[in-house]
């Protein structure tokens, strides 16, 4: 089952850091793809590629695709679309159904104001609480609920380094 994250509404002049963090959360919380919709911001893409080079993993990264067309194609291929928004249904009401469907999942997160079309086209509009916070936190909580916490123990292929958890201090092992 593919789990991809689509970041829409990225504004290059102010969102580089937060969009990079959306990509980092996608990777670290178990997604297999990160799509930056409608714009190709090389700063964001290069930062994420560097993390993959060092820390491993096979997450696919795409930028500049048309978001709505991507969603339409995703659905045509049998996948489902989950839009994270504070206006949606509480995550606990829907996450079991989403997990059990076994369909590929495209998780959409916005920036400022998300156009109404995204609410209509999504199979699920899901809230992580009904207070405004951030695409980074919303994505992390959603993926953690989807994977029931198991994603935190995933190991990453082709990593150059790996952390050995310590009671105190830092231990990092070079793998080759
Ligand atoms: N008005 C926006 C909304 O619809 O959720 C809040 C904008 S917020 C700065 C940017 C993104 O963070 C949203 O598009 C949404 O994906 C995510 N987000 C923020 N709060 C959320 C919440 N409580 N539940 C789910 N997603 C949230």
């Amino acid at each position: 089952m593919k789990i991809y994250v689509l970041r829409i509404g990225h504004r290059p002049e102010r969102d580089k850091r937060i969009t990079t963090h959306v990509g980092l959360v996608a990777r670290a919380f178990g997604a297999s793809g990160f799509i930056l919709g409608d714009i190709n911001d090389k700063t964001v893409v290069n930062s994420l590629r560097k993390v993959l080079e060092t820390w491993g993993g096979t997450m696919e990264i795409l930028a500049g695709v048309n978001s709505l067309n991507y969603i339409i194609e995703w659905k045509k291929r049998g996948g489902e679309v989950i839009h994270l928004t504070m206006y949606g249904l509480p995550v606990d009401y829907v996450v079991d159904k989403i997990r059990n469907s076994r369909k590929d999942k495209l998780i959409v997160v916005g920036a400022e104001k998300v156009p109404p079309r995204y609410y209509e086209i999504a199979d699920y509009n899901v809230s992580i609480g009904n207070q405004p916070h951030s695409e980074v936190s919303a994505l992390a909580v959603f993926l953690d609920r989807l994977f029931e916490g198991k994603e935190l123990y995933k190991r990453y292929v082709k990593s150059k380094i790996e952390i050995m958890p310590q009671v105190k201090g830092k231990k990092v092992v070079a793998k080759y």
Side-chain angles (χ1 to χ4, degrees):
M1 181 171 56
K2 281 207 298 199
I3 312 282
Y4 272 38
V5 173
L6 170 63
R7 195 313 189 244
I8 59 172
H10 171 75
R11 297 154 296 180
E13 64 291 348
R14 51 178 293 190
D15 289 338
K16 285 188 196 310
R17 192 172 148 81
I18 194 157
T19 298
T20 303
H21 284 195
V22 172
L24 291 176
V25 164
R27 176 185 169 279
F29 285 74
S32 40
F34 172 74
I35 316 293
L36 177 53
D38 308 302
I39 186 161
N40 185 359
D41 187 328
K42 292 206 166 71
T43 312
V44 172
V45 171
N46 291 342
S47 305
L48 293 174
R49 289 206 193 287
K50 267 191 202 155
V51 171
L52 260 92
E53 243 172 61
T54 309
W55 293 92
T58 53
M59 185 174 78
E60 183 182 7
I61 301 171
L62 282 179
V65 300
N66 178 290
S67 295
L68 276 174
N69 287 347
Y70 194 86
I71 290 175
I72 290 164
E73 282 305 311
W74 188 272
K75 292 183 64 141
K76 268 192 201 156
R77 290 198 304 266
E80 60 191 359
V81 175
I82 299 115
H83 170 223
L84 299 183
T85 165
M86 64 182 179
Y87 302 105
L89 294 178
V91 61
D92 290 332
Y93 290 20
V94 288
V95 74
D96 290 343
K97 187 171 174 205
I98 294 172
R99 187 186 311 109
N100 291 337
S101 82
R102 310 306 300 165
K103 289 183 177 174
D104 288 344
K105 302 178 198 320
L106 182 64
I107 303 159
V108 181
V109 294
E112 212 165 45
K113 197 172 180 325
V114 174
R117 182 77 184 111
Y118 289 91
Y119 291 79
E120 290 153 15
I121 202 167
D123 298 288
Y124 299 91
N125 288 291
V126 177
S127 61
I128 309 296
N130 297 109
Q131 301 298 318
H133 44 90
S134 146
E135 46 276 51
V136 175
S137 49
L139 180 62
V141 171
F142 180 76
L143 288 173
D144 191 60
R145 297 284 171 91
L146 183 68
F147 292 120
E148 299 176 294
K150 296 183 186 77
E151 79 289 352
L152 300 182
Y153 303 96
K154 174 178 163 174
R155 296 193 65 194
Y156 289 78
V157 293
K158 296 187 198 154
S159 66
K160 290 184 179 159
I161 55 176
E162 222 175 58
I163 291 171
M164 306 294 288
Q166 301 295 301
V167 176
K168 290 188 184 187
K170 305 177 186 174
K171 186 167 179 184
V172 181
V173 179
K175 292 184 68 192
Y176 57 87

